[in-house]
Amino acid sequence: MERKSAAGSIRNKERSKKKFLDAVGKILKTKGYAGLKVNDIATVAGVDKKMIYTYFGGMDGLMDEYIRSKDYWSNVTTEKMVPDMESGGRLFTEAMLLEQYDYVFKNKELQKLLLWRLSESRKSLTKMTNAQEENGEGLFKFIIEPHFGERTQDFRAITAIIISGLYYLNMYSSLNGSVFCGIDLSTEEGREKIKKAVSFLVDQTYENL
Protein backbone atom coordinates (compact mmCIF):
# COMPACT_ATOMS: atom_id res chain seq x y z
CA MET A 1 0.00 0.00 0.00
CA GLU A 2 2.84 2.34 0.91
CA ARG A 3 4.63 1.57 -2.38
CA LYS A 4 1.53 2.43 -4.39
CA SER A 5 1.09 5.60 -2.40
CA ALA A 6 4.71 6.63 -2.98
CA ALA A 7 4.46 5.87 -6.71
CA GLY A 8 1.26 7.88 -6.93
CA SER A 9 2.89 10.79 -5.13
CA ILE A 10 5.79 10.77 -7.59
CA ARG A 11 3.39 10.72 -10.54
CA ASN A 12 1.40 13.61 -9.08
CA LYS A 13 4.60 15.58 -8.56
CA GLU A 14 5.73 15.00 -12.15
CA ARG A 15 2.30 15.95 -13.49
CA SER A 16 2.30 19.16 -11.46
CA LYS A 17 5.84 20.02 -12.55
CA LYS A 18 4.84 19.49 -16.17
CA LYS A 19 1.83 21.77 -15.70
CA PHE A 20 4.12 24.52 -14.42
CA LEU A 21 6.59 24.05 -17.28
CA ASP A 22 3.76 24.03 -19.84
CA ALA A 23 2.34 27.18 -18.24
CA VAL A 24 5.67 28.97 -18.67
CA GLY A 25 5.61 28.07 -22.36
CA LYS A 26 2.02 29.25 -22.85
CA ILE A 27 2.72 32.59 -21.19
CA LEU A 28 5.92 33.08 -23.17
CA LYS A 29 4.06 32.54 -26.44
CA THR A 30 1.08 34.76 -25.57
CA LYS A 31 2.44 37.50 -23.29
CA GLY A 32 6.20 37.25 -23.66
CA TYR A 33 8.73 37.08 -20.85
CA ALA A 34 7.23 40.15 -19.11
CA GLY A 35 4.22 37.98 -18.27
CA LEU A 36 6.20 35.39 -16.34
CA LYS A 37 4.97 36.10 -12.81
CA VAL A 38 4.52 33.52 -10.06
CA ASN A 39 0.78 34.15 -9.69
CA ASP A 40 0.14 34.07 -13.43
CA ILE A 41 2.11 30.87 -13.91
CA ALA A 42 0.24 29.18 -11.06
CA THR A 43 -3.11 30.33 -12.46
CA VAL A 44 -2.37 29.00 -15.95
CA ALA A 45 -0.99 25.75 -14.49
CA GLY A 46 -3.96 25.33 -12.16
CA VAL A 47 -1.60 24.43 -9.30
CA ASP A 48 -0.97 26.21 -5.98
CA LYS A 49 1.90 28.68 -6.42
CA LYS A 50 3.54 27.31 -3.27
CA MET A 51 4.39 24.21 -5.27
CA ILE A 52 6.75 26.28 -7.44
CA TYR A 53 8.94 26.65 -4.36
CA THR A 54 8.40 23.04 -3.27
CA TYR A 55 9.26 21.50 -6.65
CA PHE A 56 11.71 24.01 -8.11
CA GLY A 57 12.97 26.05 -5.16
CA GLY A 58 11.44 29.20 -6.65
CA MET A 59 11.13 31.01 -9.96
CA ASP A 60 14.83 30.72 -10.83
CA GLY A 61 14.70 26.95 -10.47
CA LEU A 62 11.53 26.73 -12.54
CA MET A 63 13.06 28.86 -15.29
CA ASP A 64 16.31 26.85 -15.19
CA GLU A 65 14.43 23.60 -15.78
CA TYR A 66 12.21 25.12 -18.45
CA ILE A 67 15.13 26.58 -20.38
CA ARG A 68 17.11 23.34 -20.19
CA SER A 69 14.14 21.47 -21.62
CA LYS A 70 13.79 23.85 -24.57
CA ASP A 71 17.33 24.80 -25.55
CA TYR A 72 18.74 22.85 -28.49
CA TRP A 73 22.49 23.06 -27.90
CA SER A 74 22.27 22.41 -24.16
CA ASN A 75 20.87 18.96 -25.01
CA VAL A 76 23.40 17.96 -27.66
CA THR A 77 25.71 15.30 -26.26
CA THR A 78 29.00 13.79 -27.37
CA GLU A 79 27.26 10.42 -27.84
CA LYS A 80 26.03 11.62 -31.23
CA MET A 81 29.60 12.15 -32.36
CA VAL A 82 30.99 8.65 -31.94
CA PRO A 83 30.15 7.36 -35.47
CA ASP A 84 31.61 10.49 -37.05
CA MET A 85 35.21 10.35 -35.83
CA GLU A 86 36.78 9.49 -39.19
CA SER A 87 35.29 12.50 -40.99
CA GLY A 88 36.51 14.90 -38.32
CA GLY A 89 32.96 15.80 -37.35
CA ARG A 90 31.93 16.85 -40.84
CA LEU A 91 28.67 14.91 -40.98
CA PHE A 92 27.94 15.66 -37.34
CA THR A 93 28.47 19.41 -37.78
CA GLU A 94 26.22 19.59 -40.82
CA ALA A 95 23.48 17.49 -39.20
CA MET A 96 23.51 19.50 -35.96
CA LEU A 97 23.33 22.86 -37.76
CA LEU A 98 20.45 21.76 -39.96
CA GLU A 99 18.63 20.24 -37.00
CA GLN A 100 19.11 23.46 -35.04
CA TYR A 101 17.62 25.48 -37.91
CA ASP A 102 14.48 23.32 -38.01
CA TYR A 103 14.23 23.03 -34.22
CA VAL A 104 14.26 26.79 -33.60
CA PHE A 105 11.84 27.37 -36.49
CA LYS A 106 9.27 25.03 -34.93
CA ASN A 107 9.87 26.07 -31.33
CA LYS A 108 8.28 29.48 -30.78
CA GLU A 109 8.99 29.28 -27.06
CA LEU A 110 12.73 28.95 -27.67
CA GLN A 111 12.57 31.94 -30.03
CA LYS A 112 11.13 33.98 -27.16
CA LEU A 113 13.93 32.78 -24.87
CA LEU A 114 16.57 33.79 -27.41
CA LEU A 115 15.04 37.25 -27.75
CA TRP A 116 14.83 37.52 -23.97
CA ARG A 117 18.50 36.62 -23.65
CA LEU A 118 19.42 39.48 -25.98
CA SER A 119 17.35 42.07 -24.15
CA GLU A 120 17.75 41.35 -20.45
CA SER A 121 20.34 40.06 -18.00
CA ARG A 122 18.92 37.18 -15.96
CA LYS A 123 20.54 34.36 -14.01
CA SER A 124 18.57 31.59 -15.74
CA LEU A 125 19.46 32.94 -19.19
CA THR A 126 23.12 33.19 -18.23
CA LYS A 127 22.97 29.54 -17.18
CA MET A 128 21.50 28.71 -20.58
CA THR A 129 24.44 30.42 -22.27
CA ASN A 130 26.96 28.72 -19.99
CA ALA A 131 25.38 25.30 -20.59
CA GLN A 132 25.55 25.86 -24.35
CA GLU A 133 29.19 26.87 -24.12
CA GLU A 134 30.05 23.94 -21.86
CA ASN A 135 28.45 21.43 -24.20
CA GLY A 136 29.97 23.14 -27.21
CA GLU A 137 33.41 23.00 -25.61
CA GLY A 138 33.04 19.27 -25.13
CA LEU A 139 32.07 18.84 -28.77
CA PHE A 140 34.98 20.92 -30.02
CA LYS A 141 37.56 19.16 -27.88
CA PHE A 142 36.23 15.66 -28.49
CA ILE A 143 36.19 15.68 -32.27
CA ILE A 144 36.84 19.05 -33.91
CA GLU A 145 40.15 19.93 -32.27
CA PRO A 146 41.87 16.63 -33.16
CA HIS A 147 40.90 17.19 -36.80
CA PHE A 148 41.69 20.90 -37.26
CA GLY A 149 44.52 21.28 -34.77
CA GLU A 150 45.83 24.86 -34.74
CA ARG A 151 43.02 25.95 -37.11
CA THR A 152 40.35 25.04 -34.55
CA GLN A 153 39.85 28.68 -33.59
CA ASP A 154 39.08 29.49 -37.23
CA PHE A 155 36.54 26.67 -37.29
CA ARG A 156 34.97 28.01 -34.08
CA ALA A 157 34.62 31.47 -35.64
CA ILE A 158 32.92 30.10 -38.76
CA THR A 159 30.57 27.97 -36.65
CA ALA A 160 29.70 30.99 -34.50
CA ILE A 161 28.66 32.96 -37.57
CA ILE A 162 26.53 30.11 -38.93
CA ILE A 163 24.77 29.36 -35.64
CA SER A 164 24.00 32.99 -34.86
CA GLY A 165 22.86 33.56 -38.46
CA LEU A 166 20.43 30.65 -38.25
CA TYR A 167 19.07 31.96 -34.95
CA TYR A 168 18.50 35.37 -36.49
CA LEU A 169 16.85 34.12 -39.68
CA ASN A 170 14.37 32.07 -37.69
CA MET A 171 13.45 34.92 -35.37
CA TYR A 172 13.31 37.41 -38.24
CA SER A 173 10.94 35.26 -40.30
CA SER A 174 8.77 34.60 -37.25
CA LEU A 175 8.27 38.20 -36.18
CA ASN A 176 8.49 41.04 -38.67
CA GLY A 177 8.96 39.61 -42.13
CA SER A 178 9.66 36.49 -44.09
CA VAL A 179 11.80 37.75 -46.99
CA PHE A 180 15.52 38.16 -46.35
CA CYS A 181 17.99 38.84 -49.18
CA GLY A 182 15.17 38.02 -51.57
CA ILE A 183 14.57 34.57 -50.05
CA ASP A 184 11.14 33.87 -48.57
CA LEU A 185 11.96 32.06 -45.34
CA SER A 186 8.33 31.17 -44.70
CA THR A 187 8.31 28.75 -47.64
CA GLU A 188 9.78 25.27 -47.81
CA GLU A 189 11.68 26.28 -50.94
CA GLY A 190 13.25 29.26 -49.21
CA ARG A 191 14.25 27.24 -46.15
CA GLU A 192 15.79 24.57 -48.36
CA LYS A 193 17.99 27.23 -49.96
CA ILE A 194 19.27 28.21 -46.52
CA LYS A 195 19.94 24.56 -45.67
CA LYS A 196 21.87 24.03 -48.91
CA ALA A 197 23.91 27.13 -48.11
CA VAL A 198 24.74 25.72 -44.66
CA SER A 199 25.85 22.42 -46.20
CA PHE A 200 27.96 24.34 -48.73
CA LEU A 201 29.64 26.37 -45.96
CA VAL A 202 30.39 23.26 -43.93
CA ASP A 203 31.84 21.49 -46.99
CA GLN A 204 33.98 24.48 -47.90
CA THR A 205 35.23 24.79 -44.34
CA TYR A 206 36.33 21.16 -44.20
CA GLU A 207 37.85 21.31 -47.69
CA ASN A 208 39.77 24.55 -47.33
CA LEU A 209 40.48 25.24 -43.69
Side-chain angles (χ1 to χ4, degrees):
M1 195 69 178
E2 290 182 3
R3 286 183 181 177
K4 289 184 178 179
S5 177
S9 178
I10 291 172
R11 283 195 296 272
N12 287 335
K13 176 181 177 180
E14 292 307 312
R15 278 196 293 267
S16 294
K17 287 180 68 174
K18 185 176 186 306
K19 286 180 180 179
F20 280 126
L21 294 169
D22 289 345
V24 170
K26 288 176 183 176
I27 291 172
L28 262 181
K29 284 191 288 188
T30 57
K31 298 181 179 179
Y33 43 83
L36 292 173
K37 310 294 184 186
V38 171
N39 289 337
D40 292 339
I41 292 171
T43 298
V44 173
V47 183
D48 191 326
K49 68 180 181 180
K50 293 178 182 177
M51 293 298 102
I52 291 177
Y53 300 92
T54 300
Y55 296 149
F56 302 98
M59 272 294 290
D60 283 341
L62 171 59
M63 291 308 303
D64 286 347
E65 187 157 337
Y66 176 78
I67 289 170
R68 276 198 304 272
S69 72
K70 293 299 176 184
D71 179 44
Y72 177 76
W73 288 103
S74 296
N75 292 295
V76 173
T77 65
T78 53
E79 293 176 3
K80 293 185 178 181
M81 285 189 288
V82 176
D84 195 29
M85 289 293 290
E86 291 184 6
S87 73
R90 186 174 189 158
L91 299 177
F92 168 80
T93 299
E94 182 179 353
M96 291 299 99
L97 291 171
L98 295 178
E99 282 182 26
Q100 177 219 321
Y101 185 49
D102 283 337
Y103 182 83
V104 177
F105 176 71
K106 296 172 184 175
N107 197 321
K108 305 303 180 186
E109 297 162 45
L110 177 56
Q111 291 176 23
K112 296 287 187 181
L113 289 174
L114 293 171
L115 288 169
W116 191 10
R117 182 169 66 175
L118 290 174
S119 60
E120 184 179 325
S121 176
R122 189 183 178 93
K123 191 181 297 182
S124 298
L125 298 169
T126 299
K127 285 184 179 179
M128 171 185 174
T129 301
N130 292 340
Q132 288 177 332
E133 286 298 310
E134 186 177 336
N135 265 22
E137 196 59 30
L139 303 179
F140 281 122
K141 287 186 177 297
F142 182 72
I143 194 167
I144 303 300
E145 209 167 87
H147 182 77
F148 285 102
E150 61 184 19
R151 301 301 302 275
T152 299
Q153 287 297 107
D154 298 317
F155 181 88
R156 288 172 183 261
I158 293 168
T159 305
I161 292 171
I162 296 174
I163 291 174
S164 59
L166 293 177
Y167 277 151
Y168 180 81
L169 290 176
N170 271 320
M171 290 186 286
Y172 174 89
S173 64
S174 177
L175 294 170
N176 290 316
S178 61
V179 178
F180 194 91
C181 289
I183 298 174
D184 190 344
L185 302 172
S186 67
T187 66
E188 190 63 33
E189 181 184 6
R191 292 183 61 77
E192 279 302 314
K193 287 184 183 299
I194 298 297
K195 290 180 181 181
K196 287 180 180 178
V198 170
S199 297
F200 173 80
L201 291 171
V202 171
D203 287 342
Q204 291 298 306
T205 299
Y206 271 86
E207 290 294 331
N208 299 302
L209 196 60

PDB file of all heavy atoms in Angstrom, residues 88-113:
ATOM      1  N   GLY A  88      36.142  13.700 -39.058  1.00  0.00           N
ATOM      2  CA  GLY A  88      36.515  14.899 -38.320  1.00  0.00           C
ATOM      3  C   GLY A  88      35.316  15.739 -37.916  1.00  0.00           C
ATOM      4  O   GLY A  88      35.416  16.948 -37.720  1.00  0.00           O
ATOM      5  N   GLY A  89      34.161  15.096 -37.772  1.00  0.00           N
ATOM      6  CA  GLY A  89      32.957  15.803 -37.346  1.00  0.00           C
ATOM      7  C   GLY A  89      32.194  16.462 -38.475  1.00  0.00           C
ATOM      8  O   GLY A  89      31.249  17.207 -38.232  1.00  0.00           O
ATOM      9  N   ARG A  90      32.575  16.190 -39.694  1.00  0.00           N
ATOM     10  CA  ARG A  90      31.931  16.851 -40.839  1.00  0.00           C
ATOM     11  C   ARG A  90      30.436  16.547 -40.922  1.00  0.00           C
ATOM     12  O   ARG A  90      29.605  17.457 -41.013  1.00  0.00           O
ATOM     13  CB  ARG A  90      32.625  16.398 -42.116  1.00  0.00           C
ATOM     14  CG  ARG A  90      32.158  17.096 -43.382  1.00  0.00           C
ATOM     15  CD  ARG A  90      33.027  16.668 -44.542  1.00  0.00           C
ATOM     16  NE  ARG A  90      32.787  17.446 -45.740  1.00  0.00           N
ATOM     17  CZ  ARG A  90      33.666  17.557 -46.722  1.00  0.00           C
ATOM     18  NH1 ARG A  90      34.838  16.942 -46.636  1.00  0.00           N
ATOM     19  NH2 ARG A  90      33.389  18.276 -47.792  1.00  0.00           N
ATOM     20  N   LEU A  91      30.076  15.293 -40.887  1.00  0.00           N
ATOM     21  CA  LEU A  91      28.672  14.909 -40.976  1.00  0.00           C
ATOM     22  C   LEU A  91      27.912  15.366 -39.746  1.00  0.00           C
ATOM     23  O   LEU A  91      26.770  15.817 -39.835  1.00  0.00           O
ATOM     24  CB  LEU A  91      28.560  13.388 -41.138  1.00  0.00           C
ATOM     25  CG  LEU A  91      29.216  12.802 -42.389  1.00  0.00           C
ATOM     26  CD1 LEU A  91      29.099  11.280 -42.392  1.00  0.00           C
ATOM     27  CD2 LEU A  91      28.573  13.383 -43.651  1.00  0.00           C
ATOM     28  N   PHE A  92      28.557  15.238 -38.588  1.00  0.00           N
ATOM     29  CA  PHE A  92      27.935  15.661 -37.344  1.00  0.00           C
ATOM     30  C   PHE A  92      27.638  17.160 -37.352  1.00  0.00           C
ATOM     31  O   PHE A  92      26.548  17.606 -37.012  1.00  0.00           O
ATOM     32  CB  PHE A  92      28.843  15.323 -36.163  1.00  0.00           C
ATOM     33  CG  PHE A  92      28.427  15.957 -34.874  1.00  0.00           C
ATOM     34  CD1 PHE A  92      27.401  15.411 -34.125  1.00  0.00           C
ATOM     35  CD2 PHE A  92      29.042  17.115 -34.423  1.00  0.00           C
ATOM     36  CE1 PHE A  92      26.990  16.009 -32.938  1.00  0.00           C
ATOM     37  CE2 PHE A  92      28.639  17.720 -33.248  1.00  0.00           C
ATOM     38  CZ  PHE A  92      27.620  17.162 -32.505  1.00  0.00           C
ATOM     39  N   THR A  93      28.623  17.951 -37.757  1.00  0.00           N
ATOM     40  CA  THR A  93      28.469  19.410 -37.781  1.00  0.00           C
ATOM     41  C   THR A  93      27.315  19.822 -38.689  1.00  0.00           C
ATOM     42  O   THR A  93      26.461  20.631 -38.308  1.00  0.00           O
ATOM     43  CB  THR A  93      29.772  20.077 -38.267  1.00  0.00           C
ATOM     44  OG1 THR A  93      30.834  19.758 -37.365  1.00  0.00           O
ATOM     45  CG2 THR A  93      29.615  21.582 -38.343  1.00  0.00           C
ATOM     46  N   GLU A  94      27.288  19.261 -39.878  1.00  0.00           N
ATOM     47  CA  GLU A  94      26.222  19.590 -40.825  1.00  0.00           C
ATOM     48  C   GLU A  94      24.854  19.203 -40.269  1.00  0.00           C
ATOM     49  O   GLU A  94      23.899  19.996 -40.313  1.00  0.00           O
ATOM     50  CB  GLU A  94      26.463  18.887 -42.159  1.00  0.00           C
ATOM     51  CG  GLU A  94      25.413  19.221 -43.203  1.00  0.00           C
ATOM     52  CD  GLU A  94      25.678  18.522 -44.536  1.00  0.00           C
ATOM     53  OE1 GLU A  94      26.751  17.894 -44.683  1.00  0.00           O
ATOM     54  OE2 GLU A  94      24.819  18.617 -45.424  1.00  0.00           O
ATOM     55  N   ALA A  95      24.765  17.978 -39.728  1.00  0.00           N
ATOM     56  CA  ALA A  95      23.481  17.492 -39.204  1.00  0.00           C
ATOM     57  C   ALA A  95      22.990  18.350 -38.044  1.00  0.00           C
ATOM     58  O   ALA A  95      21.804  18.704 -37.969  1.00  0.00           O
ATOM     59  CB  ALA A  95      23.623  16.039 -38.753  1.00  0.00           C
ATOM     60  N   MET A  96      23.905  18.713 -37.128  1.00  0.00           N
ATOM     61  CA  MET A  96      23.509  19.501 -35.965  1.00  0.00           C
ATOM     62  C   MET A  96      23.039  20.905 -36.367  1.00  0.00           C
ATOM     63  O   MET A  96      22.071  21.429 -35.827  1.00  0.00           O
ATOM     64  CB  MET A  96      24.663  19.611 -34.974  1.00  0.00           C
ATOM     65  CG  MET A  96      25.021  18.322 -34.266  1.00  0.00           C
ATOM     66  SD  MET A  96      23.665  17.639 -33.261  1.00  0.00           S
ATOM     67  CE  MET A  96      23.003  16.387 -34.384  1.00  0.00           C
ATOM     68  N   LEU A  97      23.712  21.518 -37.318  1.00  0.00           N
ATOM     69  CA  LEU A  97      23.327  22.856 -37.756  1.00  0.00           C
ATOM     70  C   LEU A  97      21.960  22.842 -38.438  1.00  0.00           C
ATOM     71  O   LEU A  97      21.123  23.723 -38.201  1.00  0.00           O
ATOM     72  CB  LEU A  97      24.381  23.431 -38.700  1.00  0.00           C
ATOM     73  CG  LEU A  97      25.724  23.781 -38.050  1.00  0.00           C
ATOM     74  CD1 LEU A  97      26.757  24.135 -39.120  1.00  0.00           C
ATOM     75  CD2 LEU A  97      25.572  24.926 -37.061  1.00  0.00           C
ATOM     76  N   LEU A  98      21.734  21.857 -39.266  1.00  0.00           N
ATOM     77  CA  LEU A  98      20.450  21.760 -39.961  1.00  0.00           C
ATOM     78  C   LEU A  98      19.328  21.428 -38.990  1.00  0.00           C
ATOM     79  O   LEU A  98      18.206  21.949 -39.104  1.00  0.00           O
ATOM     80  CB  LEU A  98      20.525  20.707 -41.071  1.00  0.00           C
ATOM     81  CG  LEU A  98      21.498  21.028 -42.216  1.00  0.00           C
ATOM     82  CD1 LEU A  98      21.517  19.888 -43.233  1.00  0.00           C
ATOM     83  CD2 LEU A  98      21.134  22.348 -42.895  1.00  0.00           C
ATOM     84  N   GLU A  99      19.623  20.566 -38.017  1.00  0.00           N
ATOM     85  CA  GLU A  99      18.626  20.237 -36.996  1.00  0.00           C
ATOM     86  C   GLU A  99      18.297  21.465 -36.156  1.00  0.00           C
ATOM     87  O   GLU A  99      17.146  21.702 -35.800  1.00  0.00           O
ATOM     88  CB  GLU A  99      19.131  19.109 -36.097  1.00  0.00           C
ATOM     89  CG  GLU A  99      19.034  17.729 -36.722  1.00  0.00           C
ATOM     90  CD  GLU A  99      19.500  16.637 -35.771  1.00  0.00           C
ATOM     91  OE1 GLU A  99      19.421  16.850 -34.537  1.00  0.00           O
ATOM     92  OE2 GLU A  99      19.954  15.594 -36.252  1.00  0.00           O
ATOM     93  N   GLN A 100      19.329  22.241 -35.823  1.00  0.00           N
ATOM     94  CA  GLN A 100      19.108  23.460 -35.042  1.00  0.00           C
ATOM     95  C   GLN A 100      18.181  24.410 -35.801  1.00  0.00           C
ATOM     96  O   GLN A 100      17.260  24.994 -35.219  1.00  0.00           O
ATOM     97  CB  GLN A 100      20.420  24.173 -34.753  1.00  0.00           C
ATOM     98  CG  GLN A 100      20.247  25.491 -33.996  1.00  0.00           C
ATOM     99  CD  GLN A 100      21.188  26.589 -34.458  1.00  0.00           C
ATOM    100  OE1 GLN A 100      22.339  26.334 -34.758  1.00  0.00           O
ATOM    101  NE2 GLN A 100      20.698  27.821 -34.514  1.00  0.00           N
ATOM    102  N   TYR A 101      18.422  24.572 -37.086  1.00  0.00           N
ATOM    103  CA  TYR A 101      17.616  25.480 -37.915  1.00  0.00           C
ATOM    104  C   TYR A 101      16.143  25.085 -37.862  1.00  0.00           C
ATOM    105  O   TYR A 101      15.260  25.922 -37.638  1.00  0.00           O
ATOM    106  CB  TYR A 101      18.146  25.447 -39.343  1.00  0.00           C
ATOM    107  CG  TYR A 101      17.471  26.422 -40.284  1.00  0.00           C
ATOM    108  CD1 TYR A 101      17.293  27.758 -39.942  1.00  0.00           C
ATOM    109  CD2 TYR A 101      17.038  26.001 -41.542  1.00  0.00           C
ATOM    110  CE1 TYR A 101      16.682  28.650 -40.811  1.00  0.00           C
ATOM    111  CE2 TYR A 101      16.435  26.887 -42.416  1.00  0.00           C
ATOM    112  CZ  TYR A 101      16.260  28.217 -42.046  1.00  0.00           C
ATOM    113  OH  TYR A 101      15.660  29.094 -42.918  1.00  0.00           O
ATOM    114  N   ASP A 102      15.861  23.797 -38.039  1.00  0.00           N
ATOM    115  CA  ASP A 102      14.480  23.320 -38.012  1.00  0.00           C
ATOM    116  C   ASP A 102      13.889  23.394 -36.607  1.00  0.00           C
ATOM    117  O   ASP A 102      12.727  23.754 -36.414  1.00  0.00           O
ATOM    118  CB  ASP A 102      14.401  21.871 -38.517  1.00  0.00           C
ATOM    119  CG  ASP A 102      14.514  21.789 -40.024  1.00  0.00           C
ATOM    120  OD1 ASP A 102      14.223  22.788 -40.706  1.00  0.00           O
ATOM    121  OD2 ASP A 102      14.917  20.718 -40.531  1.00  0.00           O
ATOM    122  N   TYR A 103      14.701  23.060 -35.605  1.00  0.00           N
ATOM    123  CA  TYR A 103      14.227  23.030 -34.218  1.00  0.00           C
ATOM    124  C   TYR A 103      13.781  24.417 -33.761  1.00  0.00           C
ATOM    125  O   TYR A 103      12.699  24.588 -33.195  1.00  0.00           O
ATOM    126  CB  TYR A 103      15.342  22.510 -33.312  1.00  0.00           C
ATOM    127  CG  TYR A 103      14.956  22.390 -31.852  1.00  0.00           C
ATOM    128  CD1 TYR A 103      14.277  21.268 -31.384  1.00  0.00           C
ATOM    129  CD2 TYR A 103      15.274  23.393 -30.933  1.00  0.00           C
ATOM    130  CE1 TYR A 103      13.917  21.147 -30.049  1.00  0.00           C
ATOM    131  CE2 TYR A 103      14.925  23.289 -29.599  1.00  0.00           C
ATOM    132  CZ  TYR A 103      14.248  22.162 -29.167  1.00  0.00           C
ATOM    133  OH  TYR A 103      13.896  22.052 -27.842  1.00  0.00           O
ATOM    134  N   VAL A 104      14.597  25.426 -34.018  1.00  0.00           N
ATOM    135  CA  VAL A 104      14.258  26.788 -33.597  1.00  0.00           C
ATOM    136  C   VAL A 104      13.053  27.303 -34.379  1.00  0.00           C
ATOM    137  O   VAL A 104      12.196  27.999 -33.840  1.00  0.00           O
ATOM    138  CB  VAL A 104      15.461  27.740 -33.769  1.00  0.00           C
ATOM    139  CG1 VAL A 104      15.074  29.176 -33.389  1.00  0.00           C
ATOM    140  CG2 VAL A 104      16.632  27.276 -32.910  1.00  0.00           C
ATOM    141  N   PHE A 105      12.969  26.946 -35.654  1.00  0.00           N
ATOM    142  CA  PHE A 105      11.839  27.369 -36.493  1.00  0.00           C
ATOM    143  C   PHE A 105      10.513  26.867 -35.916  1.00  0.00           C
ATOM    144  O   PHE A 105       9.518  27.602 -35.886  1.00  0.00           O
ATOM    145  CB  PHE A 105      12.024  26.827 -37.908  1.00  0.00           C
ATOM    146  CG  PHE A 105      10.876  27.126 -38.829  1.00  0.00           C
ATOM    147  CD1 PHE A 105      10.643  28.416 -39.284  1.00  0.00           C
ATOM    148  CD2 PHE A 105      10.025  26.113 -39.259  1.00  0.00           C
ATOM    149  CE1 PHE A 105       9.573  28.693 -40.137  1.00  0.00           C
ATOM    150  CE2 PHE A 105       8.961  26.373 -40.108  1.00  0.00           C
ATOM    151  CZ  PHE A 105       8.735  27.672 -40.554  1.00  0.00           C
ATOM    152  N   LYS A 106      10.500  25.636 -35.443  1.00  0.00           N
ATOM    153  CA  LYS A 106       9.269  25.030 -34.928  1.00  0.00           C
ATOM    154  C   LYS A 106       8.977  25.410 -33.482  1.00  0.00           C
ATOM    155  O   LYS A 106       7.840  25.291 -33.025  1.00  0.00           O
ATOM    156  CB  LYS A 106       9.360  23.497 -35.044  1.00  0.00           C
ATOM    157  CG  LYS A 106       9.441  22.995 -36.473  1.00  0.00           C
ATOM    158  CD  LYS A 106       9.720  21.507 -36.508  1.00  0.00           C
ATOM    159  CE  LYS A 106       9.904  21.007 -37.939  1.00  0.00           C
ATOM    160  NZ  LYS A 106      10.299  19.575 -37.972  1.00  0.00           N
ATOM    161  N   ASN A 107      10.009  25.835 -32.760  1.00  0.00           N
ATOM    162  CA  ASN A 107       9.868  26.072 -31.327  1.00  0.00           C
ATOM    163  C   ASN A 107       9.745  27.569 -31.028  1.00  0.00           C
ATOM    164  O   ASN A 107      10.742  28.253 -30.805  1.00  0.00           O
ATOM    165  CB  ASN A 107      11.071  25.468 -30.592  1.00  0.00           C
ATOM    166  CG  ASN A 107      10.822  25.308 -29.115  1.00  0.00           C
ATOM    167  OD1 ASN A 107      10.210  26.167 -28.488  1.00  0.00           O
ATOM    168  ND2 ASN A 107      11.294  24.211 -28.558  1.00  0.00           N
ATOM    169  N   LYS A 108       8.521  28.062 -31.018  1.00  0.00           N
ATOM    170  CA  LYS A 108       8.279  29.484 -30.781  1.00  0.00           C
ATOM    171  C   LYS A 108       8.699  29.900 -29.370  1.00  0.00           C
ATOM    172  O   LYS A 108       9.093  31.044 -29.139  1.00  0.00           O
ATOM    173  CB  LYS A 108       6.800  29.824 -31.003  1.00  0.00           C
ATOM    174  CG  LYS A 108       6.258  29.434 -32.370  1.00  0.00           C
ATOM    175  CD  LYS A 108       7.060  30.075 -33.505  1.00  0.00           C
ATOM    176  CE  LYS A 108       6.508  29.682 -34.871  1.00  0.00           C
ATOM    177  NZ  LYS A 108       7.352  30.182 -35.983  1.00  0.00           N
ATOM    178  N   GLU A 109       8.598  28.964 -28.426  1.00  0.00           N
ATOM    179  CA  GLU A 109       8.986  29.277 -27.059  1.00  0.00           C
ATOM    180  C   GLU A 109      10.487  29.540 -26.977  1.00  0.00           C
ATOM    181  O   GLU A 109      10.932  30.473 -26.292  1.00  0.00           O
ATOM    182  CB  GLU A 109       8.598  28.131 -26.129  1.00  0.00           C
ATOM    183  CG  GLU A 109       7.089  27.903 -26.057  1.00  0.00           C
ATOM    184  CD  GLU A 109       6.735  26.541 -25.495  1.00  0.00           C
ATOM    185  OE1 GLU A 109       7.337  26.144 -24.495  1.00  0.00           O
ATOM    186  OE2 GLU A 109       5.838  25.879 -26.065  1.00  0.00           O
ATOM    187  N   LEU A 110      11.275  28.741 -27.675  1.00  0.00           N
ATOM    188  CA  LEU A 110      12.727  28.948 -27.673  1.00  0.00           C
ATOM    189  C   LEU A 110      13.068  30.279 -28.343  1.00  0.00           C
ATOM    190  O   LEU A 110      13.983  30.985 -27.901  1.00  0.00           O
ATOM    191  CB  LEU A 110      13.434  27.791 -28.387  1.00  0.00           C
ATOM    192  CG  LEU A 110      14.957  27.930 -28.524  1.00  0.00           C
ATOM    193  CD1 LEU A 110      15.625  28.133 -27.162  1.00  0.00           C
ATOM    194  CD2 LEU A 110      15.550  26.711 -29.222  1.00  0.00           C
ATOM    195  N   GLN A 111      12.338  30.642 -29.382  1.00  0.00           N
ATOM    196  CA  GLN A 111      12.572  31.939 -30.026  1.00  0.00           C
ATOM    197  C   GLN A 111      12.390  33.073 -29.021  1.00  0.00           C
ATOM    198  O   GLN A 111      13.171  34.028 -28.995  1.00  0.00           O
ATOM    199  CB  GLN A 111      11.614  32.118 -31.200  1.00  0.00           C
ATOM    200  CG  GLN A 111      11.894  31.204 -32.380  1.00  0.00           C
ATOM    201  CD  GLN A 111      10.862  31.353 -33.484  1.00  0.00           C
ATOM    202  OE1 GLN A 111      10.197  32.382 -33.593  1.00  0.00           O
ATOM    203  NE2 GLN A 111      10.718  30.339 -34.307  1.00  0.00           N
ATOM    204  N   LYS A 112      11.360  32.958 -28.180  1.00  0.00           N
ATOM    205  CA  LYS A 112      11.126  33.975 -27.157  1.00  0.00           C
ATOM    206  C   LYS A 112      12.287  34.012 -26.158  1.00  0.00           C
ATOM    207  O   LYS A 112      12.710  35.086 -25.721  1.00  0.00           O
ATOM    208  CB  LYS A 112       9.820  33.684 -26.411  1.00  0.00           C
ATOM    209  CG  LYS A 112       8.566  33.766 -27.263  1.00  0.00           C
ATOM    210  CD  LYS A 112       8.206  35.196 -27.602  1.00  0.00           C
ATOM    211  CE  LYS A 112       6.867  35.277 -28.306  1.00  0.00           C
ATOM    212  NZ  LYS A 112       6.510  36.660 -28.677  1.00  0.00           N
ATOM    213  N   LEU A 113      12.801  32.842 -25.806  1.00  0.00           N
ATOM    214  CA  LEU A 113      13.929  32.781 -24.869  1.00  0.00           C
ATOM    215  C   LEU A 113      15.169  33.439 -25.469  1.00  0.00           C
ATOM    216  O   LEU A 113      15.905  34.146 -24.779  1.00  0.00           O
ATOM    217  CB  LEU A 113      14.240  31.323 -24.507  1.00  0.00           C
ATOM    218  CG  LEU A 113      13.233  30.601 -23.613  1.00  0.00           C
ATOM    219  CD1 LEU A 113      13.624  29.137 -23.469  1.00  0.00           C
ATOM    220  CD2 LEU A 113      13.144  31.259 -22.240  1.00  0.00           C
TER     221      LEU A 113
END
